[in-house]
Amino acid sequence: FRYSVAAQEHTYHNPFVVTSDSRYLISVLPSHQIGISNVQDGSYTNILPGHEEPVDFLLLSSTDSTLVSSSRDKTIKVWDLATLRLLY
C-alpha cells in the first residue's frame, strides 16, 4: 500500500521468496530480521538476524542453498541456508 510521511510519498512492500519445494516461505519481519516459516502451519522454523534498516530485496538460489538480502542500510548479506550462517 502507499502512504505519506512528512509530505513525501513512500511505497512499502514486504519482500518474500518461496523455496522450490514450496515448503518454506522466507520473508522480512518488521524488526528487519528474516523469517523462515513453514508454509503448512505458518510457524517460524528459523529467524536470521537482519539489517539495521528495512530490507528491500530477497533472492533465493535455484538450489535453495543461498539467500541474498539487501537493505536500505546499504548492505548486502549472503546467507548459507543449510547452516544458517552469514557468509558475507
Side-chain angles (χ1 to χ4, degrees):
F1 65 96
R2 298 177 73 76
Y3 63 95
S4 291
V5 176
Q8 295 178 352
E9 191 167 271
H10 300 275
T11 301
Y12 175 80
H13 66 282
N14 188 12
F16 69 91
V17 291
V18 178
T19 57
S20 60
D21 61 6
S22 299
R23 292 180 57 205
Y24 298 98
L25 172 74
I26 303 171
S27 61
V28 178
L29 304 175
S31 60
H32 314 309
Q33 294 174 310
I34 298 167
I36 302 172
S37 59
N38 183 310
V39 170
Q40 286 188 346
D41 65 13
S43 65
Y44 284 100
T45 58
N46 291 289
I47 295 178
L48 303 174
H51 293 267
E52 298 297 318
E53 297 289 329
V55 176
D56 290 320
F57 186 77
L58 293 174
L59 176 68
L60 183 62
S61 68
S62 61
T63 59
D64 294 340
S65 60
T66 306
L67 178 72
V68 178
S69 59
S70 68
S71 168
R72 293 181 199 166
D73 62 14
K74 299 183 171 103
T75 62
I76 295 173
K77 294 186 178 188
V78 180
W79 305 91
D80 178 335
L81 292 181
T83 63
L84 302 175
R85 287 187 35 209
L86 180 63
L87 299 174
Y88 304 101

Coordinates of all heavy atoms in Angstrom, one line a residue:
F1 N 0.8 -1.2 0.0 CA 0.0 0.0 0.0 C 0.9 1.2 0.0 O 2.1 1.2 0.3 CB -1.0 0.0 1.2 CG -0.3 0.1 2.5 CD1 -0.2 1.3 3.2 CD2 0.2 -1.1 3.2 CE1 0.4 1.4 4.4 CE2 0.8 -1.0 4.4 CZ 0.9 0.3 5.0
R2 N 0.3 2.3 -0.3 CA 1.1 3.6 -0.3 C 0.7 4.5 0.8 O -0.5 4.5 1.2 CB 0.8 4.3 -1.7 CG 1.3 3.5 -2.8 CD 1.0 4.1 -4.2 NE 1.9 5.3 -4.4 CZ 3.1 5.2 -4.8 NH1 3.7 4.0 -4.9 NH2 3.8 6.3 -5.1
Y3 N 1.6 5.2 1.4 CA 1.3 6.1 2.5 C 2.2 7.3 2.4 O 3.2 7.3 1.7 CB 1.4 5.4 3.8 CG 2.8 4.9 4.2 CD1 3.6 5.7 4.9 CD2 3.3 3.7 3.7 CE1 4.9 5.3 5.2 CE2 4.6 3.3 4.0 CZ 5.4 4.1 4.8 OH 6.6 3.7 5.1
S4 N 1.8 8.4 3.1 CA 2.6 9.6 3.1 C 3.2 9.9 4.5 O 2.5 9.7 5.5 CB 1.8 10.8 2.7 OG 1.4 10.7 1.3
V5 N 4.4 10.3 4.5 CA 5.1 10.7 5.7 C 5.8 12.0 5.4 O 6.6 12.1 4.5 CB 6.0 9.7 6.2 CG1 6.8 10.1 7.5 CG2 5.3 8.4 6.5
A6 N 5.6 13.0 6.2 CA 6.3 14.3 6.0 C 6.3 14.8 4.6 O 7.2 15.3 4.1 CB 7.7 14.2 6.5
A7 N 5.1 14.7 4.0 CA 4.9 15.2 2.7 C 5.7 14.5 1.6 O 5.8 15.0 0.5 CB 5.1 16.7 2.6
Q8 N 6.2 13.4 1.9 CA 6.9 12.5 0.9 C 6.1 11.3 0.7 O 5.6 10.7 1.7 CB 8.3 12.2 1.4 CG 9.2 13.4 1.5 CD 10.6 13.0 2.0 OE1 10.8 11.9 2.4 NE2 11.5 14.0 1.9
E9 N 6.1 10.8 -0.5 CA 5.3 9.6 -0.8 C 6.3 8.4 -0.7 O 7.4 8.5 -1.3 CB 4.6 9.7 -2.1 CG 3.7 8.5 -2.3 CD 2.8 8.8 -3.5 OE1 1.7 9.5 -3.3 OE2 3.2 8.4 -4.6
H10 N 5.9 7.3 0.0 CA 6.7 6.1 0.1 C 5.9 4.9 -0.3 O 4.7 4.9 -0.2 CB 7.2 5.9 1.5 CG 8.0 7.1 2.0 ND1 9.4 7.2 1.8 CD2 7.7 8.2 2.7 CE1 9.8 8.3 2.3 NE2 8.8 8.9 2.9
T11 N 6.6 3.9 -0.8 CA 5.9 2.7 -1.1 C 6.5 1.6 -0.1 O 7.7 1.5 0.0 CB 6.2 2.2 -2.5 OG1 5.7 3.2 -3.4 CG2 5.5 0.9 -2.9
Y12 N 5.6 0.9 0.5 CA 6.0 -0.2 1.4 C 5.7 -1.5 0.8 O 4.7 -1.7 0.2 CB 5.2 -0.1 2.8 CG 5.5 -1.2 3.7 CD1 6.7 -1.2 4.4 CD2 4.7 -2.3 3.7 CE1 7.0 -2.3 5.3 CE2 5.0 -3.4 4.6 CZ 6.2 -3.4 5.3 OH 6.5 -4.4 6.1
H13 N 6.7 -2.4 0.9 CA 6.5 -3.7 0.4 C 7.2 -4.7 1.3 O 8.2 -4.3 1.9 CB 6.9 -3.9 -1.1 CG 8.4 -3.8 -1.3 ND1 9.0 -2.5 -1.3 CD2 9.4 -4.7 -1.4 CE1 10.3 -2.7 -1.5 NE2 10.5 -4.0 -1.6
N14 N 6.8 -5.9 1.4 CA 7.4 -6.9 2.2 C 8.0 -8.0 1.3 O 7.2 -8.8 0.9 CB 6.4 -7.4 3.2 CG 7.1 -8.3 4.3 OD1 8.3 -8.4 4.3 ND2 6.3 -9.0 5.0
P15 N 9.3 -8.0 1.0 CA 9.8 -9.0 0.1 C 9.7 -10.4 0.7 O 9.8 -10.6 1.9 CB 11.3 -8.6 -0.1 CG 11.5 -7.3 0.7 CD 10.3 -7.0 1.5
F16 N 9.5 -11.3 -0.2 CA 9.4 -12.7 0.3 C 9.8 -13.6 -0.9 O 9.7 -13.2 -2.1 CB 8.0 -13.1 0.8 CG 7.0 -13.2 -0.3 CD1 6.7 -14.3 -0.9 CD2 6.2 -12.0 -0.6 CE1 5.7 -14.4 -1.9 CE2 5.3 -12.1 -1.5 CZ 5.0 -13.2 -2.2
V17 N 10.3 -14.8 -0.6 CA 10.6 -15.9 -1.6 C 10.0 -17.2 -1.0 O 9.9 -17.4 0.2 CB 12.1 -16.0 -1.9 CG1 12.5 -14.8 -2.7 CG2 12.9 -16.2 -0.7
V18 N 9.8 -18.1 -1.9 CA 9.3 -19.4 -1.5 C 10.3 -20.5 -2.0 O 10.8 -20.3 -3.2 CB 7.9 -19.7 -2.1 CG1 7.4 -21.1 -1.7 CG2 6.9 -18.7 -1.6
T19 N 10.6 -21.5 -1.2 CA 11.6 -22.5 -1.7 C 11.0 -23.3 -2.8 O 9.8 -23.3 -3.0 CB 12.0 -23.4 -0.5 OG1 10.8 -24.0 0.0 CG2 12.7 -22.7 0.6
S20 N 11.9 -23.9 -3.6 CA 11.4 -24.6 -4.8 C 10.5 -25.8 -4.5 O 9.7 -26.1 -5.4 CB 12.6 -25.1 -5.6 OG 13.4 -26.0 -4.8
D21 N 10.5 -26.3 -3.3 CA 9.6 -27.4 -2.9 C 8.3 -26.9 -2.3 O 7.5 -27.6 -1.9 CB 10.3 -28.4 -2.0 CG 10.8 -27.8 -0.7 OD1 10.5 -26.6 -0.4 OD2 11.4 -28.5 0.1
S22 N 8.2 -25.6 -2.2 CA 7.0 -24.9 -1.7 C 6.8 -25.2 -0.2 O 5.7 -25.0 0.3 CB 5.8 -25.2 -2.5 OG 6.0 -24.7 -3.8
R23 N 7.8 -25.6 0.5 CA 7.6 -26.0 1.9 C 7.9 -24.8 2.8 O 7.3 -24.7 3.9 CB 8.5 -27.1 2.3 CG 8.2 -28.4 1.7 CD 9.1 -29.6 2.1 NE 9.1 -29.7 3.5 CZ 10.1 -30.3 4.2 NH1 11.2 -30.7 3.5 NH2 10.1 -30.4 5.5
Y24 N 8.7 -23.8 2.4 CA 9.1 -22.7 3.3 C 9.0 -21.4 2.6 O 9.2 -21.2 1.4 CB 10.6 -22.9 3.7 CG 10.8 -24.1 4.5 CD1 11.3 -25.3 3.9 CD2 10.5 -24.2 5.9 CE1 11.5 -26.4 4.7 CE2 10.6 -25.3 6.6 CZ 11.1 -26.5 6.0 OH 11.3 -27.6 6.7
L25 N 8.5 -20.4 3.4 CA 8.4 -19.0 3.0 C 9.4 -18.2 3.7 O 9.5 -18.3 4.9 CB 7.0 -18.5 3.3 CG 6.8 -17.0 3.1 CD1 6.6 -16.7 1.6 CD2 5.5 -16.6 3.8
I26 N 10.2 -17.5 3.0 CA 11.3 -16.6 3.6 C 10.8 -15.2 3.4 O 10.6 -14.8 2.3 CB 12.6 -16.9 3.0 CG1 13.0 -18.4 3.1 CG2 13.7 -16.0 3.6 CD1 14.2 -18.8 2.3
S27 N 10.7 -14.5 4.5 CA 10.1 -13.1 4.4 C 10.8 -12.2 5.4 O 11.5 -12.6 6.3 CB 8.6 -13.1 4.7 OG 8.3 -13.6 6.0
V28 N 10.6 -10.9 5.2 CA 11.2 -9.9 6.1 C 10.2 -9.6 7.2 O 9.0 -9.4 7.0 CB 11.5 -8.6 5.3 CG1 12.0 -7.5 6.2 CG2 12.4 -9.0 4.1
L29 N 10.7 -9.6 8.4 CA 9.9 -9.2 9.6 C 10.0 -7.7 9.9 O 11.0 -7.1 9.5 CB 10.4 -10.0 10.8 CG 10.5 -11.6 10.6 CD1 11.1 -12.2 11.8 CD2 9.1 -12.1 10.4
P30 N 9.1 -7.2 10.6 CA 9.1 -5.7 10.9 C 10.4 -5.3 11.6 O 10.8 -4.2 11.5 CB 7.9 -5.5 11.9 CG 7.0 -6.6 11.5 CD 7.9 -7.8 11.1
S31 N 11.1 -6.2 12.3 CA 12.3 -5.9 13.0 C 13.5 -5.9 12.1 O 14.7 -5.8 12.6 CB 12.5 -6.9 14.1 OG 12.6 -8.2 13.6
H32 N 13.3 -6.0 10.8 CA 14.4 -6.1 9.8 C 15.1 -7.5 9.8 O 16.1 -7.6 9.2 CB 15.4 -5.0 9.8 CG 14.7 -3.6 10.0 ND1 13.7 -3.2 9.2 CD2 14.9 -2.6 10.9 CE1 13.3 -2.0 9.6 NE2 14.0 -1.6 10.6
Q33 N 14.6 -8.4 10.6 CA 15.1 -9.8 10.6 C 14.5 -10.5 9.4 O 13.5 -10.1 8.8 CB 14.8 -10.5 11.9 CG 15.5 -9.9 13.1 CD 15.1 -10.5 14.3 OE1 13.9 -10.6 14.6 NE2 16.0 -10.9 15.2
I34 N 15.0 -11.7 9.1 CA 14.5 -12.5 8.0 C 13.9 -13.8 8.6 O 14.6 -14.5 9.3 CB 15.6 -12.8 7.0 CG1 16.1 -11.5 6.4 CG2 15.1 -13.8 5.9 CD1 17.3 -11.6 5.6
G35 N 12.6 -14.0 8.4 CA 12.0 -15.2 9.0 C 11.8 -16.3 8.0 O 11.5 -16.1 6.8
I36 N 12.1 -17.5 8.4 CA 11.9 -18.7 7.6 C 10.7 -19.5 8.2 O 10.8 -19.9 9.4 CB 13.1 -19.6 7.5 CG1 14.3 -18.8 6.9 CG2 12.9 -20.8 6.6 CD1 15.6 -19.5 7.0
S37 N 9.6 -19.6 7.5 CA 8.4 -20.2 8.1 C 7.9 -21.4 7.3 O 8.1 -21.4 6.1 CB 7.3 -19.2 8.2 OG 6.9 -18.6 7.0
N38 N 7.3 -22.3 8.0 CA 6.7 -23.5 7.4 C 5.4 -23.0 6.7 O 4.5 -22.4 7.3 CB 6.4 -24.5 8.5 CG 5.9 -25.8 7.9 OD1 4.9 -25.8 7.2 ND2 6.5 -26.9 8.4
V39 N 5.3 -23.3 5.4 CA 4.1 -22.9 4.7 C 2.8 -23.6 5.2 O 1.8 -23.0 5.2 CB 4.3 -23.1 3.1 CG1 3.0 -22.9 2.4 CG2 5.3 -22.2 2.6
Q40 N 2.9 -24.8 5.6 CA 1.7 -25.6 6.0 C 1.1 -25.0 7.3 O -0.1 -24.9 7.4 CB 2.1 -27.0 6.2 CG 2.2 -27.8 5.0 CD 2.4 -29.3 5.2 OE1 2.6 -29.7 6.3 NE2 2.3 -30.0 4.1
D41 N 1.9 -24.7 8.3 CA 1.3 -24.2 9.5 C 1.6 -22.8 9.9 O 1.2 -22.2 10.9 CB 1.6 -25.1 10.7 CG 3.1 -25.2 11.0 OD1 3.9 -24.3 10.6 OD2 3.5 -26.1 11.8
G42 N 2.5 -22.1 9.1 CA 2.9 -20.7 9.4 C 3.9 -20.5 10.5 O 4.2 -19.4 10.8
S43 N 4.3 -21.6 11.1 CA 5.3 -21.4 12.2 C 6.7 -21.1 11.7 O 7.1 -21.5 10.6 CB 5.4 -22.7 13.1 OG 5.9 -23.7 12.3
Y44 N 7.4 -20.2 12.5 CA 8.7 -19.9 12.1 C 9.7 -21.0 12.5 O 9.7 -21.4 13.7 CB 9.2 -18.6 12.7 CG 8.6 -17.4 12.0 CD1 7.5 -16.7 12.6 CD2 9.1 -16.9 10.8 CE1 6.9 -15.7 11.9 CE2 8.5 -15.9 10.2 CZ 7.4 -15.2 10.7 OH 6.8 -14.2 10.1
T45 N 10.5 -21.5 11.5 CA 11.4 -22.5 11.8 C 12.8 -21.9 12.2 O 13.5 -22.5 13.0 CB 11.6 -23.5 10.6 OG1 12.0 -22.7 9.5 CG2 10.3 -24.2 10.4
N46 N 13.1 -20.7 11.7 CA 14.3 -20.0 11.9 C 14.1 -18.5 11.7 O 13.3 -18.1 10.9 CB 15.5 -20.5 11.0 CG 15.9 -21.9 11.3 OD1 16.5 -22.2 12.4 ND2 15.5 -22.8 10.5
I47 N 14.9 -17.7 12.4 CA 14.9 -16.3 12.2 C 16.4 -15.9 12.1 O 17.2 -16.2 13.0 CB 14.2 -15.5 13.3 CG1 12.7 -15.9 13.3 CG2 14.4 -14.0 13.2 CD1 11.9 -15.3 14.4
L48 N 16.7 -15.2 11.0 CA 18.1 -14.8 10.7 C 18.2 -13.3 11.2 O 17.3 -12.5 11.0 CB 18.4 -14.8 9.2 CG 18.2 -16.2 8.6 CD1 18.5 -16.1 7.1 CD2 19.2 -17.2 9.2
P49 N 19.3 -13.0 11.8 CA 19.5 -11.6 12.2 C 19.4 -10.7 11.0 O 20.0 -11.1 9.9 CB 20.9 -11.6 12.9 CG 21.4 -13.0 12.9 CD 20.4 -13.8 12.1
G50 N 18.8 -9.6 11.0 CA 18.6 -8.9 9.8 C 19.6 -7.7 9.7 O 20.7 -7.8 10.1
H51 N 19.0 -6.7 9.1 CA 19.8 -5.5 8.8 C 19.4 -4.4 9.7 O 18.5 -4.5 10.6 CB 19.4 -5.0 7.3 CG 19.9 -6.0 6.3 ND1 21.1 -5.9 5.7 CD2 19.3 -7.1 5.7 CE1 21.2 -6.8 4.8 NE2 20.2 -7.6 4.8
E52 N 20.1 -3.3 9.6 CA 19.8 -2.1 10.5 C 18.6 -1.3 10.0 O 18.0 -0.6 10.8 CB 21.0 -1.2 10.6 CG 22.2 -1.9 11.2 CD 22.0 -2.3 12.6 OE1 21.4 -1.5 13.4 OE2 22.4 -3.4 13.0
E53 N 18.3 -1.4 8.7 CA 17.2 -0.7 8.1 C 16.3 -1.7 7.3 O 16.7 -2.8 7.2 CB 17.8 0.4 7.1 CG 18.6 1.5 7.7 CD 17.8 2.4 8.6 OE1 16.6 2.7 8.2 OE2 18.3 2.9 9.5
P54 N 15.2 -1.2 6.8 CA 14.3 -2.1 6.1 C 15.0 -2.9 4.9 O 15.8 -2.4 4.3 CB 13.2 -1.2 5.5 CG 13.2 -0.1 6.5 CD 14.6 0.1 6.9
V55 N 14.6 -4.2 4.8 CA 15.1 -5.0 3.7 C 14.3 -4.8 2.5 O 13.0 -4.9 2.6 CB 15.1 -6.5 4.2 CG1 15.6 -7.4 3.0 CG2 16.1 -6.7 5.4
D56 N 14.9 -4.5 1.4 CA 14.2 -4.2 0.2 C 14.1 -5.4 -0.8 O 13.3 -5.4 -1.7 CB 14.8 -3.0 -0.6 CG 14.6 -1.7 0.2 OD1 13.5 -1.5 0.7 OD2 15.5 -0.9 0.3
F57 N 15.0 -6.3 -0.7 CA 15.2 -7.3 -1.7 C 15.6 -8.7 -1.1 O 16.5 -8.7 -0.3 CB 16.2 -6.8 -2.7 CG 16.3 -7.7 -4.0 CD1 15.4 -7.7 -4.9 CD2 17.4 -8.5 -4.1 CE1 15.5 -8.5 -6.1 CE2 17.6 -9.3 -5.2 CZ 16.6 -9.3 -6.2
L58 N 15.0 -9.8 -1.5 CA 15.5 -11.1 -1.2 C 15.6 -11.9 -2.5 O 14.8 -11.8 -3.4 CB 14.5 -11.8 -0.3 CG 14.2 -11.3 1.1 CD1 13.1 -12.1 1.7 CD2 15.5 -11.4 1.9
L59 N 16.7 -12.7 -2.6 CA 16.9 -13.5 -3.7 C 17.4 -14.9 -3.2 O 18.3 -15.0 -2.4 CB 18.0 -12.9 -4.6 CG 18.5 -13.8 -5.8 CD1 17.3 -13.8 -6.8 CD2 19.7 -13.2 -6.4
L60 N 16.7 -15.9 -3.7 CA 17.0 -17.3 -3.3 C 17.6 -18.1 -4.5 O 17.1 -18.0 -5.6 CB 15.7 -18.0 -2.8 CG 15.8 -19.4 -2.3 CD1 16.7 -19.5 -1.0 CD2 14.4 -20.0 -2.0
S61 N 18.7 -18.8 -4.2 CA 19.4 -19.5 -5.3 C 18.4 -20.6 -5.8 O 17.5 -21.1 -5.1 CB 20.7 -20.1 -4.8 OG 20.5 -21.1 -3.8
S62 N 18.7 -21.1 -7.0 CA 17.8 -22.1 -7.6 C 17.9 -23.5 -6.8 O 17.0 -24.3 -6.9 CB 18.2 -22.3 -9.0 OG 19.5 -22.8 -9.1
T63 N 19.0 -23.6 -6.0 CA 19.1 -24.9 -5.2 C 18.6 -24.7 -3.8 O 18.8 -25.6 -3.0 CB 20.6 -25.3 -5.2 OG1 21.4 -24.2 -4.6 CG2 21.1 -25.6 -6.6
D64 N 18.1 -23.5 -3.5 CA 17.6 -23.2 -2.2 C 18.7 -23.2 -1.1 O 18.4 -23.3 0.1 CB 16.4 -24.1 -1.7 CG 15.2 -24.0 -2.6 OD1 15.0 -22.9 -3.2 OD2 14.4 -24.9 -2.6
S65 N 19.9 -23.1 -1.5 CA 21.0 -23.2 -0.5 C 21.5 -21.8 -0.1 O 22.1 -21.7 1.0 CB 22.2 -24.0 -1.1 OG 22.6 -23.4 -2.3
T66 N 21.3 -20.8 -0.9 CA 21.9 -19.5 -0.6 C 20.8 -18.4 -0.7 O 20.0 -18.4 -1.6 CB 23.0 -19.2 -1.6 OG1 24.0 -20.2 -1.5 CG2 23.7 -17.9 -1.2
L67 N 20.7 -17.5 0.3 CA 19.8 -16.4 0.3 C 20.6 -15.1 0.3 O 21.6 -15.0 1.0 CB 18.9 -16.5 1.5 CG 17.9 -15.3 1.7 CD1 16.8 -15.5 0.7 CD2 17.4 -15.3 3.1
V68 N 20.2 -14.2 -0.5 CA 20.8 -12.9 -0.6 C 19.8 -11.8 -0.2 O 18.6 -11.9 -0.6 CB 21.4 -12.5 -2.0 CG1 22.0 -11.1 -2.0 CG2 22.4 -13.6 -2.5
S69 N 20.2 -10.9 0.7 CA 19.3 -9.9 1.2 C 20.0 -8.5 1.0 O 21.2 -8.4 1.2 CB 18.8 -10.1 2.6 OG 20.0 -10.1 3.5
S70 N 19.2 -7.5 0.6 CA 19.8 -6.2 0.5 C 18.9 -5.2 1.3 O 17.7 -5.4 1.3 CB 20.0 -5.7 -0.9 OG 18.8 -5.5 -1.6
S71 N 19.5 -4.2 1.8 CA 18.7 -3.3 2.7 C 19.0 -1.8 2.4 O 20.0 -1.5 1.8 CB 19.1 -3.6 4.1 OG 18.7 -2.7 5.0
R72 N 18.2 -1.0 3.0 CA 18.4 0.5 2.9 C 19.5 0.9 3.7 O 20.0 2.0 3.6 CB 17.1 1.2 3.3 CG 16.0 1.0 2.4 CD 14.7 1.7 2.8 NE 13.6 1.1 2.1 CZ 12.3 1.4 2.5 NH1 12.1 2.2 3.5 NH2 11.4 0.8 1.8
D73 N 20.1 0.0 4.5 CA 21.3 0.3 5.3 C 22.6 0.2 4.4 O 23.7 0.3 4.9 CB 21.4 -0.5 6.6 CG 21.5 -2.0 6.3 OD1 21.8 -2.4 5.2 OD2 21.4 -2.8 7.3
K74 N 22.3 0.0 3.1 CA 23.4 -0.1 2.1 C 24.3 -1.3 2.3 O 25.5 -1.2 2.0 CB 24.2 1.2 2.1 CG 23.4 2.4 1.8 CD 24.2 3.7 1.7 CE 23.4 4.8 1.2 NZ 22.9 5.8 2.0
T75 N 23.7 -2.4 2.8 CA 24.5 -3.6 2.9 C 23.8 -4.7 2.1 O 22.5 -4.7 1.9 CB 24.6 -4.1 4.4 OG1 23.3 -4.3 4.9 CG2 25.3 -3.1 5.2
I76 N 24.6 -5.7 1.7 CA 24.1 -6.9 1.1 C 24.6 -8.0 1.9 O 25.8 -8.1 2.2 CB 24.6 -7.0 -0.4 CG1 24.0 -5.9 -1.2 CG2 24.2 -8.4 -1.0 CD1 24.5 -5.8 -2.6
K77 N 23.7 -9.0 2.3 CA 24.1 -10.1 3.1 C 23.9 -11.4 2.3 O 22.9 -11.5 1.6 CB 23.4 -10.1 4.4 CG 23.8 -9.0 5.3 CD 23.2 -9.1 6.7 CE 23.6 -7.9 7.5 NZ 23.2 -8.0 8.9
V78 N 24.8 -12.3 2.4 CA 24.7 -13.6 1.8 C 24.6 -14.7 2.8 O 25.5 -14.8 3.6 CB 25.8 -13.9 0.8 CG1 25.7 -15.2 0.1 CG2 25.9 -12.7 -0.3
W79 N 23.6 -15.5 2.8 CA 23.3 -16.5 3.9 C 23.4 -17.9 3.3 O 22.9 -18.2 2.2 CB 21.9 -16.3 4.4 CG 21.6 -15.0 5.0 CD1 21.1 -13.9 4.3 CD2 21.8 -14.5 6.3 NE1 20.9 -12.8 5.1 CE2 21.4 -13.2 6.3 CE3 22.3 -15.1 7.4 CZ2 21.4 -12.4 7.5 CZ3 22.4 -14.3 8.6 CH2 21.9 -13.0 8.6
D80 N 24.0 -18.8 4.1 CA 24.0 -20.2 3.8 C 22.8 -20.8 4.5 O 22.8 -20.8 5.7 CB 25.3 -20.9 4.2 CG 25.4 -22.4 4.0 OD1 24.3 -23.0 3.9 OD2 26.5 -22.9 3.9
L81 N 21.8 -21.3 3.8 CA 20.6 -21.7 4.5 C 20.7 -23.1 5.1 O 20.0 -23.5 5.9 CB 19.4 -21.7 3.5 CG 19.0 -20.2 3.1 CD1 17.8 -20.3 2.2 CD2 18.7 -19.4 4.3
A82 N 21.7 -23.9 4.7 CA 21.9 -25.2 5.3 C 22.4 -25.0 6.7 O 22.0 -25.8 7.6 CB 22.9 -26.0 4.4
T83 N 23.3 -24.1 6.9 CA 23.9 -23.9 8.2 C 23.4 -22.6 8.9 O 23.6 -22.4 10.1 CB 25.4 -23.7 8.1 OG1 25.7 -22.5 7.3 CG2 26.1 -24.9 7.5
L84 N 22.6 -21.8 8.2 CA 22.0 -20.5 8.7 C 23.1 -19.5 9.1 O 22.9 -18.7 9.9 CB 21.1 -20.8 9.9 CG 19.9 -21.7 9.6 CD1 19.1 -22.0 10.8 CD2 19.0 -21.1 8.5
R85 N 24.3 -19.7 8.5 CA 25.4 -18.8 8.7 C 25.4 -17.7 7.7 O 25.1 -17.8 6.5 CB 26.7 -19.5 8.7 CG 26.9 -20.5 9.9 CD 28.2 -21.1 9.9 NE 29.3 -20.2 9.4 CZ 30.4 -20.6 8.8 NH1 30.6 -21.9 8.7 NH2 31.3 -19.8 8.4
L86 N 25.8 -16.5 8.2 CA 26.1 -15.4 7.3 C 27.4 -15.6 6.6 O 28.5 -15.8 7.3 CB 26.1 -14.1 8.1 CG 26.4 -12.8 7.4 CD1 25.3 -12.5 6.4 CD2 26.5 -11.6 8.3
L87 N 27.4 -15.6 5.3 CA 28.7 -15.9 4.5 C 29.4 -14.5 4.3 O 30.6 -14.5 4.4 CB 28.4 -16.6 3.2 CG 27.8 -18.0 3.4 CD1 27.4 -18.5 2.0 CD2 28.7 -18.9 4.1
Y88 N 28.7 -13.5 3.9 CA 29.2 -12.2 3.6 C 28.3 -11.1 4.0 O 27.1 -11.2 4.0 CB 29.4 -12.1 2.0 CG 30.2 -13.1 1.4 CD1 29.6 -14.2 0.7 CD2 31.6 -13.1 1.5 CE1 30.4 -15.2 0.1 CE2 32.4 -14.1 0.9 CZ 31.7 -15.1 0.2 OH 32.5 -16.1 -0.3

